[in-house]
Amino acid sequence: MAKQRADAAVARAVAGISSSSVRAICGGLVAATGLAGILVPVVRLFGVPGGISGPVIGALVPALFGLVVLASGLWLGSSSLEGAFAVAVVVWWFLGTAFGGFAALGLVGYQIAAGVNVADAAIVLCGMASIGGVGGLLVGRYDARSQRRREELERERERLADEREKLALLNRIVRHDIGNDLQIISGMSGHLENYVDTEGTEYLDRVQRTTEEAIQLTEQVRAFVASLGENDSSELRRISLQRMLETQIENTREVYREATVSLEGEIPDVAVHADELLSPVFHNLLSNAVEHNDRDHPLVEVAVERDDETVTISVADDGPGIPPTERERIQNIEDGPDARNGSGLGLYIVGMLVDRYDGTVSVDDREPRGTVVTVELPIADGE
């Protein structure tokens, strides 16, 4: 918490100064200190009498660390760091340098007090200060990167929160405003059946069918928005597959009376980890099997099988098949639906929701004609 307050204070302090100016000042300060860390050992080297090996080695190491500090200062001045981050690097460098300097003073003082002959206290002080400065620069660079990453994550979080609010608004508009208006149109068109003559029946049927399709589309949009905005697996719970699938089969039979929707065998009484959005999965599979069928009386067959860990639901039809582009889209949900004409929206929602439930979707041809879409879901623990 104290570190965050310090970072905020630094950001406010340099808010009125351009980042390039801050970087130039910070880099110049570090580079100047690094240059001093090189010059002091070199100058002291020529002033220290004695053998060559001792003074040269004793001055070379501090000078090398001074060179590292100089290079770091030049890097800092030419970097792309924001002003506050550059200051943070300098603060860490200063702390490291101060720590190294105080350690050197303590060491030299202890040696003097113990009667040990100190060859050159200035070189020791300069060398340890440079070493501490290098350590501080490394920590500062890591801290600056961490701060930048935190800011990027915060901006991304705010952007996602804004997008989620927009999705929620879109969901409300579609469900309440447009959805309610469509329900009114559907209800009123039902009352018109007694007032329309034989010649107008065809047009009334078309209005009712189009209205029903629009209502289904609003439900698809609701499921799509919900699957984007509510992607927390912790919200999933045990859902009865039998109850959910039987309801959707009955609804499909009621809406599409010209179609034959049959169930092979029985639906196992098992539970899966899902939520209320599991219903649109089966709704889209069943309705697509009928709506995209080119026969007057479509045939849809549903089969369910289970093993120890998974349950498999297959929806087979006798239609013209699913285009290859839409097959790829249901298995590669990151590509999204076709933005040009909305093609494959229902299957895209199926793929997204099944992926949310840690399941898989596959599409195969059916002989002699048609398509089989297979959804495999993991059985909830305890079944």
Side-chain angles (χ1 to χ4, degrees):
M1 185 63 69
K3 177 65 170 57
Q4 294 178 351
R5 289 197 295 267
D7 293 338
V10 169
R12 289 193 299 269
V14 301
I17 309 175
S18 65
S19 294
S20 59
S21 299
V22 175
R23 289 195 301 268
I25 295 172
C26 293
L29 179 61
V30 175
T33 306
L35 182 60
I38 299 173
L39 293 177
V40 170
V42 172
V43 171
R44 299 293 294 179
L45 172 63
F46 291 103
V48 175
I52 296 176
S53 61
V56 170
I57 295 176
L60 181 60
V61 173
L64 287 177
F65 278 97
L67 181 61
V68 174
V69 175
L70 173 62
S72 299
L74 296 177
W75 163 81
L76 183 60
S78 60
S79 69
S80 60
L81 290 177
E82 290 82 352
F85 297 157
V87 173
V89 173
V90 169
V91 169
W92 281 109
W93 162 79
F94 175 78
L95 292 175
T97 302
F99 177 80
F102 281 118
L105 289 175
L107 178 61
V108 171
Y110 173 78
Q111 290 178 335
I112 294 175
V116 178
N117 184 27
V118 180
D120 197 316
I123 293 181
V124 175
L125 177 62
C126 185
M128 293 193 68
S130 295
I131 294 173
V134 171
L137 286 168
L138 292 175
V139 175
R141 185 175 182 181
Y142 174 80
D143 182 56
R145 287 183 173 180
S146 298
Q147 288 188 53
R148 173 182 283 182
R149 181 58 179 166
R150 284 196 299 270
E151 288 194 357
E152 291 176 352
L153 291 175
E154 180 63 22
R155 287 194 294 267
E156 181 67 12
R157 187 193 66 80
E158 292 177 354
R159 186 189 68 82
L160 291 176
D162 182 63
E163 293 296 328
R164 183 167 294 185
E165 289 181 1
K166 293 177 181 178
L167 287 173
L169 176 60
L170 173 62
N171 198 14
R172 288 195 298 269
I173 292 174
V174 170
R175 293 186 63 189
H176 296 101
D177 299 341
I178 300 178
N180 289 345
D181 290 344
L182 290 173
Q183 292 291 349
I184 293 174
I185 294 174
S186 177
M188 293 299 180
S189 62
H191 292 300
L192 290 176
E193 293 179 354
N194 297 328
Y195 301 94
V196 175
D197 55 22
T198 305
E199 295 180 356
T201 301
E202 178 184 354
Y203 300 103
L204 180 60
D205 290 342
R206 184 176 300 177
V207 169
Q208 291 176 329
R209 175 59 65 88
T210 303
T211 303
E212 182 62 31
E213 292 176 352
I215 292 174
Q216 293 179 9
L217 180 60
T218 60
E219 287 301 311
Q220 290 181 345
V221 172
R222 181 196 71 83
F224 175 70
V225 172
S227 64
L228 290 178
E230 301 174 2
N231 198 25
D232 185 359
S233 60
S234 63
E235 297 177 357
L236 303 183
R237 61 184 186 276
R238 294 169 62 89
I239 296 291
S240 171
L241 176 68
Q242 185 182 63
R243 177 180 56 82
M244 187 76 71
L245 185 54
E246 284 180 347
T247 299
Q248 290 304 317
I249 291 175
E250 291 300 323
N251 289 345
T252 304
R253 289 169 175 169
E254 181 66 24
V255 174
Y256 303 100
R257 298 186 178 182
E258 73 280 8
T260 299
V261 182
S262 62
L263 174 63
E264 296 184 3
E266 298 182 350
I267 302 175
D269 186 13
V270 297
V272 295
H273 279 303
D275 52 22
E276 69 278 359
L277 296 179
L278 181 61
S279 178
V281 170
F282 301 132
H283 168 77
N284 279 294
L285 291 179
L286 293 169
S287 61
N288 282 345
V290 177
E291 291 179 358
H292 299 289
N293 200 310
D294 55 356
R295 297 181 182 271
D296 294 333
H297 300 283
L299 175 63
V300 180
E301 297 178 352
V302 181
V304 183
E305 298 180 357
R306 66 160 295 180
D307 55 27
D308 294 337
E309 298 182 353
T310 62
V311 59
T312 303
I313 306 95
S314 300
V315 178
D317 63 62
D318 59 349
I322 300 177
T325 55
E326 293 188 16
R327 292 192 181 196
E328 294 177 1
R329 192 168 291 115
I330 192 176
Q331 296 173 324
N332 299 281
I333 58 176
E334 64 273 6
D335 295 338
D338 192 339
R340 293 169 298 179
N341 56 17
S343 176
L345 177 59
L347 289 178
Y348 172 71
I349 293 174
V350 169
M352 176 175 288
L353 291 175
V354 171
D355 181 71
R356 169 182 166 88
Y357 304 142
D358 294 326
T360 59
V361 183
S362 61
V363 181
D364 300 293
D365 292 325
R366 184 191 185 195
E367 296 297 337
R369 189 176 192 268
T371 305
V372 181
V373 180
T374 304
V375 174
E376 186 177 78
L377 296 171
I379 297 175
D381 297 335
E383 291 293 328

